[in-house]
Amino acid sequence: MRVRRILTSTAGLVSFTGLPYLAYLGAYALKRPRGSPAAKRPAEPSVSIVLPTYNEERIVESKLEELVALKYPLEKVEVVVVDSSDDRTPELVESFFDDREAPDLTLIREDERRGLAPALNEAYAAAGNEMVVKTDCDSRIGEDALREAAANLADPTVGAVTGRNAEVLGGSDVERGYRDVQAVVQTLESHLDSTLIFHGPFSAFDREAIVPVDEDSIADDSELALRIRKGGKRAVFDPEIEYKEAAHSDFAKRRTQKDRRAMGLIRLLWRQRDMLGGYGAYGRVVLPFNWWFMVVSPWLMVATVCLLVGGGLLAGIVPGALALAGVLLAVQLGSRDALGPLQPLYSVFDSQISLFRASLRLLGGEGDGTWEVDAELREVYDD
């Protein structure tokens, strides 16, 4: 009888957890959003590309080669590098631009490493052009990215735009599955109003809409987009803007990569909780869904797994062992990209693990604005 009650509770918890997801799927089916919601038109504003660097001597030159190969008039482009390295990165940057008439270079050399958010605030303040693009050194962006971003920002109601991970370098099906699901969600959110999550590999902003982010922010791109929405302009997702980023599939390695991002987003939601209920569909639909996905759902998921394993143990050692083995096997297969059509579901489960761990770490007082270089992932970008 007790086992039956536990199984019934588990089924009820799964159903309760899934209701907001089903509601979002229903909204997507009704609205059938496609592409960017912006009134896009060809535009060619001047562009400042902000590139934060920290010990990137292995890959910075290839990143700069990518930037000068973009399909955009280089005489309208400046590259703003904000650097806190203790290797040869700034020297390589200066050498790369020595004999080039365009684009212009603004190099900000920091005496001490203060964290990403203060560095970006300084770089954005130094950016002198109409459109400001932020990109990461460990990413690759599509050659038409600047033109697509400019077309979005030509809509006077839009103040920020981000793109999609068109290819996961390193071959992680876990990350690919998650990004595919995320692209569906962000397309819907953008057509409803604005999307919350902005991506470090490529985000573009109307310079006049930019405001400083918190000095200790660890979700700086998303925070800036949120603040722009708070200021009255929309922040949208355009799948035509493509970038590539490397990712792990291994369960343990993904925790290092994903947990920090999760911490930043959860803290951002908490600090901006006053936006709930306001700002059109953004505060009434988009933010509540993200609260559910990032704050509530991870705890419910962990409770569901605990109930499932606990119910098995109450039924006997063998059922309990089988329940636990089933969970561990799913994790092992998912980490090896071996779950076939179930891989996207595992990708969502994996993200919920990071969000749960991030919640615990934030409750423990962790979370600063610095980051460590992932040497293994950097190998993907080596010349």
Side-chain angles (χ1 to χ4, degrees):
M1 184 66 70
R2 187 185 301 177
V3 173
R4 183 178 300 173
R5 284 201 300 269
I6 290 176
L7 292 176
T8 301
S9 298
T10 302
L13 196 56
V14 170
S15 300
F16 179 63
T17 304
L19 282 176
Y21 300 104
L22 291 176
Y24 244 48
L25 285 173
Y28 188 88
L30 288 173
K31 200 168 184 66
R32 296 187 180 276
R34 294 289 183 274
S36 169
K40 294 170 66 173
R41 60 180 176 80
E44 210 171 75
S46 58
V47 180
S48 295
I49 302 177
V50 170
L51 180 68
T53 55
Y54 172 67
N55 290 354
E56 308 285 9
E57 63 180 7
R58 291 174 59 182
I59 63 172
V60 69
E61 290 174 304
S62 60
K63 178 66 178 184
L64 294 173
E65 289 285 1
E66 170 202 280
L67 295 182
V68 299
L70 294 173
K71 289 184 176 179
Y72 207 83
L74 292 184
E75 64 274 11
K76 289 192 170 188
V77 177
E78 71 164 337
V79 177
V80 181
V81 177
V82 55
D83 181 79
S84 57
S85 301
D86 52 25
D87 67 359
R88 296 174 54 246
T89 299
E91 288 77 18
L92 292 173
V93 170
E94 289 181 313
S95 175
F96 183 88
F97 285 93
D98 271 347
D99 300 321
R100 295 179 184 273
E101 294 185 5
D104 293 331
L105 169 67
T106 299
L107 176 60
I108 302 170
R109 302 185 69 164
E110 298 192 304
D111 295 329
E112 60 178 342
R113 194 178 182 208
R114 299 175 296 158
L116 185 55
L120 287 174
N121 282 338
E122 185 175 2
Y124 291 148
N129 289 331
E130 299 163 279
M131 183 171 80
V132 178
V133 169
K134 185 263 181 174
T135 185
D136 293 332
C137 210
D138 58 338
S139 66
R140 295 293 177 259
I141 58 179
E143 60 183 11
D144 292 323
L146 294 184
R147 291 200 177 278
E148 293 293 341
N152 279 273
L153 294 178
D155 183 337
T157 69
V158 174
V161 61
T162 193
R164 71 181 180 96
N165 193 348
E167 180 182 345
V168 180
L169 302 177
S172 171
D173 280 348
V174 181
E175 185 67 11
R176 183 180 299 109
Y178 174 68
R179 295 290 181 157
D180 288 347
V181 172
Q182 188 178 57
V184 171
V185 171
Q186 291 198 269
T187 300
L188 174 61
E189 291 178 343
S190 297
H191 281 262
L192 291 173
D193 187 300
S194 296
T195 191
L196 172 68
I197 298 176
F198 263 51
H199 304 291
F202 190 93
S203 294
F205 310 98
D206 177 352
R207 184 179 180 275
E208 293 184 355
I210 291 177
V211 294
V213 299
D214 291 341
E215 293 283 293
D216 63 345
S217 177
I218 44 178
D220 42 87
D221 305 300
S222 296
E223 181 178 338
L224 179 51
L226 179 145
R227 289 184 179 276
I228 286 173
R229 177 61 189 90
K230 202 170 189 178
K233 288 201 169 186
R234 297 172 67 190
V236 302
F237 169 81
D238 185 355
E240 295 300 315
I241 299 173
E242 298 183 348
Y243 65 83
K244 302 176 184 179
E245 187 180 30
H248 294 291
S249 277
D250 180 79
F251 187 82
K253 291 177 181 178
R254 282 182 66 75
R255 303 288 67 82
T256 301
Q257 185 182 21
K258 300 286 285 188
D259 289 6
R260 182 179 179 275
R261 296 176 183 176
M263 290 170 67
L265 290 167
I266 293 170
R267 192 161 71 181
L268 175 62
L269 286 172
W270 174 253
R271 288 181 174 178
Q272 299 295 330
R273 60 191 182 277
D274 62 304
M275 293 184 70
L276 285 168
Y279 304 92
Y282 189 66
R284 293 195 294 268
V285 179
V286 174
L287 290 182
F289 175 79
N290 280 279
W291 265 87
W292 186 266
F293 180 77
M294 296 181 195
V295 180
V296 179
S297 177
W299 289 84
L300 295 178
M301 183 210 67
V302 170
T304 300
V305 173
C306 290
L307 278 174
L308 184 63
V309 174
L313 288 171
L314 284 175
I317 294 177
V318 173
L322 288 174
L324 182 59
V327 173
L328 294 177
L329 179 62
V331 170
Q332 283 293 320
L333 292 174
S335 295
R336 296 174 182 175
D337 303 323
L339 284 177
L342 295 179
Q343 196 67 40
L345 290 177
Y346 173 78
S347 301
V348 175
F349 169 82
D350 177 88
S351 72
Q352 296 282 280
I353 292 292
S354 276
L355 289 160
F356 178 74
R357 284 168 50 91
S359 297
L360 295 178
R361 292 175 65 181
L362 287 170
L363 290 171
E366 294 185 46
D368 62 40
T370 59
W371 77 101
E372 298 301 325
V373 172
D374 189 321
E376 185 177 342
L377 285 182
R378 288 297 192 275
E379 294 176 2
V380 177
Y381 302 97
D382 285 345
D383 290 330

mmCIF file of all heavy atoms in Angstrom, residues 11-30:
data_model
loop_
_atom_site.group_PDB
_atom_site.id
_atom_site.type_symbol
_atom_site.label_atom_id
_atom_site.label_comp_id
_atom_site.label_asym_id
_atom_site.label_seq_id
_atom_site.Cartn_x
_atom_site.Cartn_y
_atom_site.Cartn_z
ATOM 1 N N ALA A 11 3.746 9.858 -9.882
ATOM 2 C CA ALA A 11 3.023 10.155 -11.122
ATOM 3 C C ALA A 11 2.377 11.538 -11.049
ATOM 4 O O ALA A 11 2.407 12.306 -12.020
ATOM 5 C CB ALA A 11 1.965 9.089 -11.382
ATOM 6 N N GLY A 12 1.806 11.856 -9.893
ATOM 7 C CA GLY A 12 1.207 13.180 -9.729
ATOM 8 C C GLY A 12 2.230 14.286 -9.809
ATOM 9 O O GLY A 12 1.980 15.346 -10.403
ATOM 10 N N LEU A 13 3.423 14.052 -9.224
ATOM 11 C CA LEU A 13 4.479 15.057 -9.248
ATOM 12 C C LEU A 13 4.985 15.283 -10.667
ATOM 13 O O LEU A 13 5.222 16.423 -11.088
ATOM 14 C CB LEU A 13 5.625 14.609 -8.340
ATOM 15 C CG LEU A 13 6.662 15.655 -7.928
ATOM 16 C CD1 LEU A 13 5.993 16.842 -7.252
ATOM 17 C CD2 LEU A 13 7.698 15.021 -6.998
ATOM 18 N N VAL A 14 5.128 14.188 -11.413
ATOM 19 C CA VAL A 14 5.560 14.312 -12.814
ATOM 20 C C VAL A 14 4.530 15.113 -13.612
ATOM 21 O O VAL A 14 4.888 16.001 -14.403
ATOM 22 C CB VAL A 14 5.764 12.914 -13.439
ATOM 23 C CG1 VAL A 14 5.959 13.029 -14.953
ATOM 24 C CG2 VAL A 14 6.963 12.222 -12.807
ATOM 25 N N SER A 15 3.259 14.817 -13.397
ATOM 26 C CA SER A 15 2.200 15.535 -14.124
ATOM 27 C C SER A 15 2.205 17.012 -13.760
ATOM 28 O O SER A 15 2.100 17.886 -14.637
ATOM 29 C CB SER A 15 0.835 14.916 -13.806
ATOM 30 O OG SER A 15 0.798 13.569 -14.191
ATOM 31 N N PHE A 16 2.331 17.304 -12.472
ATOM 32 C CA PHE A 16 2.348 18.696 -12.013
ATOM 33 C C PHE A 16 3.545 19.449 -12.580
ATOM 34 O O PHE A 16 3.418 20.575 -13.052
ATOM 35 C CB PHE A 16 2.381 18.715 -10.477
ATOM 36 C CG PHE A 16 2.421 20.093 -9.893
ATOM 37 C CD1 PHE A 16 1.373 20.983 -10.077
ATOM 38 C CD2 PHE A 16 3.524 20.504 -9.139
ATOM 39 C CE1 PHE A 16 1.419 22.263 -9.520
ATOM 40 C CE2 PHE A 16 3.576 21.773 -8.595
ATOM 41 C CZ PHE A 16 2.518 22.653 -8.785
ATOM 42 N N THR A 17 4.713 18.798 -12.561
ATOM 43 C CA THR A 17 5.932 19.426 -13.083
ATOM 44 C C THR A 17 5.790 19.735 -14.566
ATOM 45 O O THR A 17 6.265 20.763 -15.060
ATOM 46 C CB THR A 17 7.151 18.509 -12.859
ATOM 47 O OG1 THR A 17 7.257 18.200 -11.474
ATOM 48 C CG2 THR A 17 8.436 19.175 -13.341
ATOM 49 N N GLY A 18 5.115 18.851 -15.297
ATOM 50 C CA GLY A 18 5.039 19.004 -16.742
ATOM 51 C C GLY A 18 3.977 19.959 -17.240
ATOM 52 O O GLY A 18 3.987 20.327 -18.434
ATOM 53 N N LEU A 19 3.071 20.421 -16.384
ATOM 54 C CA LEU A 19 1.967 21.269 -16.848
ATOM 55 C C LEU A 19 2.440 22.538 -17.571
ATOM 56 O O LEU A 19 1.939 22.850 -18.660
ATOM 57 C CB LEU A 19 1.050 21.624 -15.674
ATOM 58 C CG LEU A 19 0.075 20.527 -15.231
ATOM 59 C CD1 LEU A 19 -0.708 20.974 -13.999
ATOM 60 C CD2 LEU A 19 -0.888 20.173 -16.366
ATOM 61 N N PRO A 20 3.372 23.321 -16.999
ATOM 62 C CA PRO A 20 3.821 24.523 -17.724
ATOM 63 C C PRO A 20 4.468 24.201 -19.067
ATOM 64 O O PRO A 20 4.338 24.965 -20.023
ATOM 65 C CB PRO A 20 4.828 25.149 -16.757
ATOM 66 C CG PRO A 20 4.420 24.662 -15.414
ATOM 67 C CD PRO A 20 3.958 23.256 -15.655
ATOM 68 N N TYR A 21 5.164 23.057 -19.135
ATOM 69 C CA TYR A 21 5.773 22.660 -20.405
ATOM 70 C C TYR A 21 4.695 22.350 -21.444
ATOM 71 O O TYR A 21 4.818 22.728 -22.626
ATOM 72 C CB TYR A 21 6.679 21.444 -20.191
ATOM 73 C CG TYR A 21 7.797 21.687 -19.221
ATOM 74 C CD1 TYR A 21 7.751 21.180 -17.935
ATOM 75 C CD2 TYR A 21 8.917 22.436 -19.578
ATOM 76 C CE1 TYR A 21 8.774 21.390 -17.031
ATOM 77 C CE2 TYR A 21 9.942 22.658 -18.693
ATOM 78 C CZ TYR A 21 9.871 22.140 -17.413
ATOM 79 O OH TYR A 21 10.885 22.369 -16.526
ATOM 80 N N LEU A 22 3.659 21.661 -21.009
ATOM 81 C CA LEU A 22 2.550 21.357 -21.917
ATOM 82 C C LEU A 22 1.856 22.640 -22.375
ATOM 83 O O LEU A 22 1.454 22.769 -23.539
ATOM 84 C CB LEU A 22 1.546 20.435 -21.237
ATOM 85 C CG LEU A 22 2.022 19.001 -20.979
ATOM 86 C CD1 LEU A 22 0.959 18.224 -20.206
ATOM 87 C CD2 LEU A 22 2.348 18.297 -22.294
ATOM 88 N N ALA A 23 1.732 23.602 -21.461
ATOM 89 C CA ALA A 23 1.114 24.884 -21.816
ATOM 90 C C ALA A 23 1.950 25.605 -22.868
ATOM 91 O O ALA A 23 1.407 26.180 -23.824
ATOM 92 C CB ALA A 23 0.955 25.752 -20.568
ATOM 93 N N TYR A 24 3.267 25.563 -22.707
ATOM 94 C CA TYR A 24 4.146 26.201 -23.690
ATOM 95 C C TYR A 24 4.055 25.500 -25.046
ATOM 96 O O TYR A 24 4.034 26.155 -26.096
ATOM 97 C CB TYR A 24 5.582 26.198 -23.178
ATOM 98 C CG TYR A 24 6.147 27.596 -22.937
ATOM 99 C CD1 TYR A 24 5.418 28.541 -22.226
ATOM 100 C CD2 TYR A 24 7.401 27.958 -23.413
ATOM 101 C CE1 TYR A 24 5.926 29.803 -21.996
ATOM 102 C CE2 TYR A 24 7.918 29.225 -23.186
ATOM 103 C CZ TYR A 24 7.182 30.139 -22.483
ATOM 104 O OH TYR A 24 7.681 31.392 -22.263
ATOM 105 N N LEU A 25 4.011 24.173 -25.007
ATOM 106 C CA LEU A 25 3.865 23.423 -26.262
ATOM 107 C C LEU A 25 2.539 23.760 -26.944
ATOM 108 O O LEU A 25 2.471 23.900 -28.175
ATOM 109 C CB LEU A 25 3.948 21.919 -25.993
ATOM 110 C CG LEU A 25 5.335 21.351 -25.698
ATOM 111 C CD1 LEU A 25 5.221 19.885 -25.285
ATOM 112 C CD2 LEU A 25 6.233 21.478 -26.922
ATOM 113 N N GLY A 26 1.482 23.903 -26.145
ATOM 114 C CA GLY A 26 0.195 24.273 -26.708
ATOM 115 C C GLY A 26 0.232 25.652 -27.331
ATOM 116 O O GLY A 26 -0.312 25.869 -28.425
ATOM 117 N N ALA A 27 0.886 26.604 -26.649
ATOM 118 C CA ALA A 27 1.018 27.961 -27.191
ATOM 119 C C ALA A 27 1.826 27.952 -28.487
ATOM 120 O O ALA A 27 1.503 28.664 -29.440
ATOM 121 C CB ALA A 27 1.685 28.873 -26.158
ATOM 122 N N TYR A 28 2.864 27.118 -28.520
ATOM 123 C CA TYR A 28 3.679 27.018 -29.736
ATOM 124 C C TYR A 28 2.853 26.445 -30.889
ATOM 125 O O TYR A 28 2.922 26.936 -32.026
ATOM 126 C CB TYR A 28 4.898 26.141 -29.480
ATOM 127 C CG TYR A 28 5.898 26.141 -30.617
ATOM 128 C CD1 TYR A 28 6.905 27.089 -30.671
ATOM 129 C CD2 TYR A 28 5.811 25.197 -31.650
ATOM 130 C CE1 TYR A 28 7.817 27.096 -31.719
ATOM 131 C CE2 TYR A 28 6.713 25.194 -32.694
ATOM 132 C CZ TYR A 28 7.721 26.153 -32.722
ATOM 133 O OH TYR A 28 8.606 26.168 -33.762
ATOM 134 N N ALA A 29 2.057 25.423 -30.596
ATOM 135 C CA ALA A 29 1.233 24.805 -31.635
ATOM 136 C C ALA A 29 0.190 25.782 -32.171
ATOM 137 O O ALA A 29 -0.111 25.793 -33.370
ATOM 138 C CB ALA A 29 0.554 23.557 -31.087
ATOM 139 N N LEU A 30 -0.364 26.608 -31.307
ATOM 140 C CA LEU A 30 -1.372 27.581 -31.731
ATOM 141 C C LEU A 30 -0.758 28.730 -32.514
ATOM 142 O O LEU A 30 -1.288 29.168 -33.532
ATOM 143 C CB LEU A 30 -2.110 28.126 -30.512
ATOM 144 C CG LEU A 30 -3.079 27.161 -29.812
ATOM 145 C CD1 LEU A 30 -3.599 27.786 -28.522
ATOM 146 C CD2 LEU A 30 -4.250 26.818 -30.740
#
